Amino acid sequence: MKKQKIGDLTANEIRDVDRKELKVKLESYLANVMHTTFERATAEELYKGLATVVNGQLADQRMEFNRKRIHNHRRKDTSKKIYYICMEFLLGQSLKNHLYNLGETEMVEEILQERDMTLEQIYDCEPDAGLGNGGLGRLAACFMDALTADGYDATGYSLCYEYGLFKQMIADGWQMEVPDNWLPGGRVWLNAREDDSFKVKFYGDYHEYWEDGRMKYNLEHVQEVEAIPYDMFISGADSKAVNKLRLWLAKDWDGFDMASFNSGDFTKAAQRTNSAEMITKVLYPADNIEEGKELRLKQQYLMVSASCQNIVRDQYAIYGTLDNFEKNTVIHINDTHPALCVPELMRIFMDDYGYSWDDAWKKVVGTISYTNHTVLAEALEKWNEGLVQSMLPRIYSIIQEIDRRFKEEMNTRVFPGDWGKINYMAPLGEQKVHMANLAVIGSHHINGVSALHSDILKEDLFHDFYLWVPERFTNVTNGIAYRRWLCQSNPALASLLDETIGSSYRHKYEKLRDFAEFKDDASVQAEVEKIKRENKVRLGKLIKERNGIDVDPDSLFVVQAKRMHEYKRQLLNALRIISRYQMLRNDPTIDMRPETYIFGAKAAPSYYLAKHFIQLIVKLGQEINNDPVISQKLKVVFLENYSVSVAEKLMPATEVSEQISLAGKEASGTGNMKMMINGAVTMGTLDGANVEIREAVGDENIFIFGQKAHEVEQNLREGYRARDYYEQNDLLRDAVDALEYGFAGESFSNIKSYLLDPSYSIADPYMCLKDFDDYCKVHQELQDAYEDRARWNSMSIVNIAEAARFAADRSIDDYAKWIWHTKPIV
Ligand code: 26V
């Protein structure tokens, strides 16, 4: 809404004008598009109406911002255009976020009061845009938020999946996947730009030849697919910037196969369109294992090629040349999934704009930077050379040349004769394209996402590269969109912060640290405790609605919410809960504060073991919750379909944040930050960003247990024997044995074998059993600390305050300063 002064109106009167203007727009949409009135419209219709009006406001604001962008680039300023390329953007819902950013929440609340409706009812009508699996995709969404709030010129590129991450339904403890058809409610935010599409070429007959001393080529009989952009506006809190997330939708280029249709082959006619349009049909729902599927490679190249063509065209249009491309442009690739940007940009610079190999290469390496998000070997991308060669012949030929030149340089200048090293670092080897190697070679900076993870990259995964170009390696610790995860999700806590430290923290994340001054203030402690309790009551209502379970708001809320993975060790948590259960079975009269364990987790559909872990938690919960005596003191809740919108309700109610991955495996974690900023205390291993959380809050405000990353390595080398721990610890043995008899009628002897049986390549590969004892001890310390309410509330306050450094705004400052070398434009 425009905030200019009209005549001599007061601020309140201006707001009245704005509200009326907004309502008129809403009414006109309801009348013209929905054929209804404000008085009669359903919540669903009001949601669509409001979304459309807000989208229109953002479009107007975007035009203003565009003027600034053009002006900025004409001035040849030192700021660059930032392009953030990622296969996943896990945006969640948008309406609440945009209203907050535009400062219109109260206004809309007032409008809805005329209908006796609340904003929450309207928000509930919006489906999550679930275009991501978990941490990686949510990080990309948080970064777009911060880039916009802080006034950068940034564009996100991804795919417009018709189906996002599957919806999870639990039937008898077993995860079932239901398609996530988000577009009917979600497309209100999409602005189709059919006029701005790009063609992407697949397959074809490729022949190279020499002419006039230059290599040339023919490429015939290609399959062309059209990439159509659907733009989503990204708003930032009180920001003049409105950025765009451009999502590509695949469409058959040549339209309908009329020849086949006319000859009566209707199936074939439909097939061509089908196969092109399959490319953006669905998000791949695994984030743990790279399966090398043809369709996934097509997705990657469609995104990369359309985005790179778009970027180069736009930069050429602004500057009339690409000679300064690397000075004006940042292309950031989020993980290796967009690493084909390296050969694709080479192709565009050489084939379309006539640059030499060396000049093109300078531009590519001068522009691209790459973030690694995992060190798990099974998630590192490798593509079959044969597949890449047949699907992307020109790109493959460029990769071969990158490989040849790289090996030559290593052999002559860096590691002469050390072919072990050289082959390990090369893009091509063992009939595979090694995407991480390609990404490192083609980037001017490579970063991990927490201090520990970045050290592991330098010392382990990319060690040889680090020896070669140490200056390219750096760290940027992850961050979260704290206005979403604190101000919007936990408005009561945000108001308390306004009252105590003033509202400037809403823009300047460092200010949040001032809250630590109140850690010993009894009245602030009492407020923090009261707010947490209200949030627990609210979550309790949701749990009652969704699971039919009554949870006690005075019990301790312990939460582990993240994808289901062996390395994240939900199983360790479950084993300890089994042990608590057995303790209560032996003596139900124990005097203790009741405990509520809450889980949220999706498993990749083909990750059978992870599905068994879910079943274990659900069945254990069933047995415990249905026991009339024990359920007074212990409850286990599995929240179905964990998603961004569920997380927004869960984080404010969390008291204990379980971050218990095997040290060295979790690159950063971001749920840990979301819980912390909502006042939860971390129970964790020294892994990922937990290390920095500990530094921030001090040893006295966090509970750390288990092996350290370097000990993990050593223990594995020395030979880990799970059975020793099982045999030495009675509590642990009882818990593991209980898996065999099972819970609620379901045996989990398969999980017992996983923990003990060396016929798995190694029993208990993530060493749950080794860390069990320490986990239990430190958990008890945490629970004792909880009973000292003053101490706990003070810990909670320190955690909220020190979460300042985990603002995505801080991460973006770091990227801008150390990697992208750019500044905001407004
Ligand atoms: C891998 C794959 C491989 C199979 C095909 C689909 C797919 C999709 C995504 C991935 C990469 C997963 C990596 C990931 O999500 N890492 C997480 O990144 C977070 C943000 O940096 C970080 O906080 C988590 O610790 C890290 O696990």
Side-chain angles (χ1 to χ4, degrees):
M1 282 266 121
K2 293 182 284 303
K3 288 281 179 321
Q4 79 266 31
K5 207 159 158 43
I6 308 167
D8 288 324
L9 295 184
T10 64
N12 269 346
E13 286 165 338
I14 293 174
R15 234 170 57 91
D16 266 4
V17 172
D18 284 348
R19 194 187 57 231
K20 285 188 186 127
E21 196 184 311
L22 195 148
K23 193 172 169 210
V24 168
K25 285 188 185 157
L26 176 62
E27 283 171 330
S28 106
Y29 173 85
L30 291 170
N32 299 332
V33 182
M34 302 304 236
H35 309 290
T36 184
T37 61
F38 175 72
E39 286 70 28
R40 280 192 293 126
T42 62
E44 186 79 26
E45 288 164 338
L46 287 167
Y47 151 66
K48 284 194 178 153
L50 281 166
T52 307
V53 172
V54 166
N55 190 54
Q57 290 175 2
L58 292 174
D60 293 345
Q61 215 172 299
R62 169 77 181 173
M63 287 216 298
E64 280 291 306
F65 184 55
N66 270 338
R67 271 194 270 280
K68 300 215 171 62
R69 295 169 68 220
I70 290 163
H71 177 72
N72 177 70
H73 298 304
R74 292 229 171 92
R75 268 194 343 218
K76 299 218 165 42
D77 211 330
T78 47
S79 61
K80 303 176 182 175
K81 278 173 177 264
I82 300 165
Y83 298 100
Y84 197 87
I85 309 191
C86 183
M87 290 286 280
E88 310 191 357
F89 280 84
L90 191 48
L91 296 168
Q93 297 171 324
S94 287
L95 181 61
K96 185 178 182 176
N97 184 46
H98 287 316
L99 289 179
Y100 176 92
N101 288 344
L102 294 167
E104 294 179 357
T105 312
E106 280 176 25
M107 204 186 290
V108 175
E109 220 158 30
E110 286 163 19
I111 294 175
L112 291 171
Q113 271 161 17
E114 298 173 32
R115 282 286 316 271
D116 264 343
M117 277 188 175
T118 64
L119 261 175
E120 288 304 320
Q121 282 172 283
I122 305 297
Y123 294 153
D124 284 345
C125 295
E126 179 175 356
D128 275 34
L131 310 184
N133 272 284
L136 169 108
R138 183 56 230 172
L139 186 79
C142 284
F143 281 1
M144 284 310 293
D145 175 280
L147 282 162
T148 311
D150 300 341
Y152 291 89
D153 180 356
T155 303
Y157 280 112
S158 193
L159 293 178
C160 187
Y161 303 106
E162 279 178 62
Y163 294 87
L165 183 64
F166 65 85
K167 289 195 170 150
Q168 179 191 53
M169 279 179 50
I170 303 289
D172 200 26
W174 198 250
Q175 169 179 295
M176 318 269 272
E177 298 89 25
V178 178
D180 167 48
N181 189 11
W182 71 289
L183 282 172
R187 69 159 57 88
V188 278
W189 301 113
L190 295 175
N191 303 292
R193 289 293 311 275
E194 267 153 46
D195 55 307
D196 205 18
S197 68
F198 290 86
K199 282 190 261 179
V200 179
K201 295 189 172 94
F202 293 97
Y203 305 102
D205 302 322
Y206 179 77
H207 301 287
E208 292 178 352
Y209 59 91
W210 285 86
E211 200 177 271
D212 308 330
R214 275 192 82 136
M215 197 283 289
K216 298 200 170 155
Y217 70 90
N218 276 324
L219 182 58
E220 289 166 336
H221 309 120
V222 295
Q223 288 180 20
E224 289 202 328
V225 176
E226 189 177 9
I228 300 176
Y230 284 77
D231 293 346
M232 267 174 139
F233 292 122
I234 307 287
S235 62
D238 296 316
S239 174
K240 291 203 177 73
V242 174
N243 280 312
K244 255 176 28 180
L245 171 59
R246 178 158 272 206
L247 304 173
W248 300 106
L249 186 83
K251 201 173 156 224
D252 184 33
W253 170 248
D254 306 313
F256 197 60
D257 182 355
M258 210 59 198
S260 300
F261 186 81
N262 287 341
S263 68
D265 195 344
F266 307 128
T267 317
K268 186 163 172 242
Q271 255 165 9
R272 197 176 66 194
T273 303
N274 271 343
S275 83
E277 291 171 12
M278 270 308 285
I279 298 177
T280 47
K281 194 56 86 184
V282 60
L283 169 84
Y284 270 85
D287 64 349
N288 58 328
I289 188 131
E290 190 49 61
E291 288 178 297
K293 292 263 164 50
E294 188 165 345
L295 189 62
R296 168 104 177 147
L297 185 62
K298 273 195 191 157
Q299 290 188 333
Q300 294 188 350
Y301 187 64
L302 183 96
M303 175 183 75
V304 160
S305 180
S307 306
C308 288
Q309 291 183 55
N310 194 165
I311 293 167
V312 174
R313 184 205 64 187
D314 286 358
Q315 293 298 66
Y316 190 83
I318 296 172
Y319 300 104
T321 168
L322 298 175
D323 288 353
N324 290 321
F325 186 82
E326 64 274 28
K327 300 203 173 62
N328 307 320
T329 322
V330 165
I331 296 181
H332 196 85
I333 59 176
N334 205 29
D335 215 312
T336 56
H337 317 139
L340 289 173
C341 278
V342 175
E344 175 66 3
L345 279 174
M346 288 299 286
R347 181 190 72 76
I348 295 173
F349 290 141
M350 295 190 303
D351 298 358
D352 298 349
Y353 291 87
Y355 284 98
S356 68
W357 180 280
D358 290 334
D359 288 343
W361 187 248
K362 263 193 217 113
K363 288 186 194 308
V364 169
V365 182
T367 307
I368 295 181
S369 45
Y370 151 59
T371 301
N372 171 284
H373 294 267
T374 181
V375 295
L376 295 185
E378 60 275 26
L380 291 180
E381 277 197 298
K382 296 181 189 85
W383 291 103
N384 274 331
E385 266 187 68
L387 177 64
V388 178
Q389 180 168 26
S390 75
M391 187 191 294
L392 311 168
R394 174 65 182 140
I395 291 302
Y396 177 73
S397 161
I398 292 171
I399 296 173
Q400 276 185 315
E401 184 62 11
I402 294 173
D403 180 73
R404 192 188 66 75
R405 287 173 184 245
F406 173 78
K407 285 174 175 155
E408 189 178 280
E409 187 188 348
M410 291 299 112
N411 190 37
T412 49
R413 290 206 310 108
V414 188
F415 301 121
D418 191 346
W419 283 100
K421 264 202 179 68
I422 298 172
N423 287 328
Y424 184 73
M425 298 163 77
L428 296 180
E430 294 170 341
Q431 276 101 55
K432 304 265 186 209
V433 181
H434 298 252
M435 300 299 270
N437 293 353
L438 184 62
V440 172
I441 294 166
S443 300
H444 58 83
H445 278 88
I446 299 101
N447 73 287
V449 288
S450 71
L452 174 69
H453 170 62
S454 296
D455 282 345
I456 293 174
L457 295 186
K458 290 194 276 195
E459 280 155 27
D460 192 359
L461 190 63
F462 296 141
H463 183 63
D464 296 332
F465 287 108
Y466 178 64
L467 294 176
W468 168 41
V469 278
E471 67 283 1
R472 285 193 196 180
F473 287 83
T474 185
N475 170 248
V476 179
T477 299
N478 281 167
I480 56 168
Y482 72 103
R483 285 165 290 262
R484 174 184 283 257
W485 294 103
L486 167 64
C487 305
Q488 296 164 31
S489 302
N490 198 344
L493 182 57
S495 301
L496 176 64
L497 289 163
D498 290 336
E499 285 160 28
T500 48
I501 59 171
S503 57
S504 61
Y505 78 91
R506 290 177 186 249
H507 296 107
K508 298 196 176 78
Y509 61 87
E510 319 88 79
K511 290 281 178 197
L512 190 55
R513 293 192 68 197
D514 294 350
F515 195 49
E517 284 165 26
F518 294 88
K519 74 184 169 61
D520 300 317
D521 182 319
S523 71
V524 175
Q525 286 184 0
E527 268 307 302
V528 166
E529 181 169 332
K530 185 168 147 255
I531 291 166
K532 184 61 80 179
R533 193 176 187 286
E534 283 162 4
N535 290 333
K536 287 163 74 182
V537 170
R538 246 193 326 150
L539 179 67
K541 286 194 186 125
L542 184 82
I543 291 175
K544 179 72 183 169
E545 267 166 44
R546 295 175 56 139
N547 298 53
I549 303 170
D550 287 299
V551 295
D552 176 358
D554 291 314
S555 64
L556 177 68
F557 276 29
V558 182
V559 179
Q560 190 172 16
K562 47 186 82 249
R563 286 296 285 254
M564 184 61 72
H565 269 288
E566 291 161 80
Y567 83 83
K568 293 179 190 280
R569 299 202 295 190
Q570 283 95 345
L571 183 56
L572 175 59
N573 190 348
L575 283 172
R576 189 180 153 276
I577 298 171
I578 295 172
S579 192
R580 302 295 282 169
Y581 173 45
Q582 291 175 328
M583 174 188 83
L584 280 167
R585 279 237 296 234
N586 290 338
D587 180 4
T589 67
I590 291 178
D591 181 29
M592 63 180 263
R593 177 184 292 273
E595 296 163 11
T596 302
Y597 293 90
I598 302 169
F599 291 86
K602 287 182 182 176
S606 60
Y607 195 170
Y608 197 64
L609 188 57
K611 287 184 161 180
H612 272 287
F613 290 173
I614 290 178
Q615 192 182 34
L616 167 63
I617 292 164
V618 174
K619 289 280 169 178
L620 176 63
Q622 264 173 28
E623 184 165 314
I624 292 176
N625 304 338
N626 290 331
D627 184 316
V629 180
I630 290 177
S631 66
Q632 303 294 311
K633 295 193 175 137
L634 200 59
K635 290 255 163 68
V636 180
V637 177
F638 187 89
L639 272 178
E640 215 171 61
N641 200 38
Y642 181 60
S643 55
V644 173
S645 53
V646 171
E648 283 162 353
K649 301 191 167 99
L650 183 57
M651 300 297 161
T654 298
E655 293 181 299
V656 180
S657 159
E658 294 280 337
Q659 307 299 338
I660 60 178
S661 50
L662 178 65
K665 300 294 178 196
E666 188 69 271
S668 160
T670 44
N672 46 2
M673 302 167 185
K674 291 163 198 163
M675 293 182 184
M676 175 191 191
I677 207 167
N678 280 283
V681 173
T682 303
M683 173 76 217
T685 48
L686 278 181
D687 199 12
N690 299 352
V691 176
E692 287 148 89
I693 293 180
R694 171 164 161 264
E695 273 167 23
V697 299
D699 272 325
E700 64 285 11
N701 294 307
I702 190 168
F703 292 87
I704 295 292
F705 74 98
Q707 303 156 80
K708 317 279 178 280
H710 65 274
E711 293 165 350
V712 166
E713 290 307 312
Q714 195 181 332
N715 291 334
L716 283 175
R717 260 197 311 274
E718 285 170 4
Y720 169 64
R721 293 224 311 263
R723 207 164 262 281
D724 292 352
Y725 299 91
Y726 168 80
E727 276 158 10
Q728 284 155 21
N729 182 333
D730 295 345
L731 289 179
L732 175 58
R733 193 175 50 249
D734 289 347
V736 173
D737 285 345
L739 292 170
E740 186 133 26
Y741 318 120
F743 304 97
E746 188 79 39
S747 164
F748 295 94
S749 51
N750 56 335
I751 299 180
K752 180 174 171 184
S753 331
Y754 165 80
L755 287 170
L756 295 176
D757 184 355
S759 71
Y760 280 83
S761 62
I762 168 175
D764 185 21
Y766 295 94
M767 296 193 272
C768 292
L769 302 195
K770 185 171 174 67
D771 283 342
F772 179 82
D773 189 46
D774 201 20
Y775 181 47
C776 293
K777 279 194 191 123
V778 179
H779 223 292
Q780 192 54 53
E781 287 170 25
L782 176 148
Q783 290 178 223
D784 294 342
Y786 188 81
E787 295 312 316
D788 179 349
R789 298 309 296 150
R791 176 172 174 210
W792 184 268
N793 290 327
S794 131
M795 292 171 76
S796 188
I797 290 170
V798 173
N799 271 275
I800 296 165
E802 297 298 339
R805 75 180 68 183
F806 302 110
D809 303 42
R810 192 272 310 140
S811 308
I812 292 303
D813 285 351
D814 287 352
Y815 278 103
K817 195 159 175 200
W818 304 113
I819 299 183
W820 300 334
H821 307 298
T822 187
K823 318 187 286 205
I825 66 163
V826 287

